[in-house]
Amino acid sequence: MTAAISGVASNASAQVVIPTNRNALIQQNELQTLRNQLQRQQFQQQQQLYREQDRQIAPKPRPEVPIVKQNCQSQVIGTTISRVCR
């Protein structure tokens, strides 16, 4: 009879430990989920700040590059017109 009681007691203690571990795992999962949500929220806020900063920075004007025109002269020799460019 003592063996039967000790067997029941060990089963009872095992049942108590398993739900506790299950609860701990659930709590860890919930905690991890909350951490992930917080990290996503912080990342999104940081990206919003970066976008706002980018909008505030005025785009640089295009540099003015002088256009070099070719110095071409037309020469008429007889019935032929030729262009000489330098």
Side-chain angles (χ1 to χ4, degrees):
M1 187 152 176
T2 308
I5 293 174
S6 67
V8 171
S10 67
N11 285 342
S13 66
Q15 289 175 355
V16 170
V17 171
I18 291 172
T20 303
N21 287 341
R22 192 175 298 151
N23 288 339
L25 286 174
I26 291 171
Q27 288 175 350
Q28 286 178 351
N29 287 340
E30 289 175 353
L31 183 60
Q32 186 63 41
T33 301
L34 290 173
R35 281 186 188 137
N36 290 343
Q37 287 176 351
L38 181 62
Q39 287 176 346
R40 278 194 302 272
Q41 185 180 15
Q42 289 172 341
F43 176 80
Q44 289 173 349
Q45 288 173 346
Q46 188 64 42
Q47 293 303 310
Q48 285 178 345
L49 288 174
Y50 289 150
R51 285 192 294 271
E52 288 176 15
Q53 288 174 356
D54 286 344
R55 283 188 210 109
Q56 291 173 0
I57 299 173
K60 295 180 182 177
R62 294 183 66 188
E64 291 187 27
V65 179
I67 298 174
V68 179
K69 295 183 180 179
Q70 292 182 346
N71 186 12
C72 297
Q73 295 177 349
S74 298
Q75 293 180 344
V76 179
I77 302 173
T79 57
T80 308
I81 299 176
S82 63
R83 289 184 72 183
V84 178
C85 298
R86 296 180 187 170

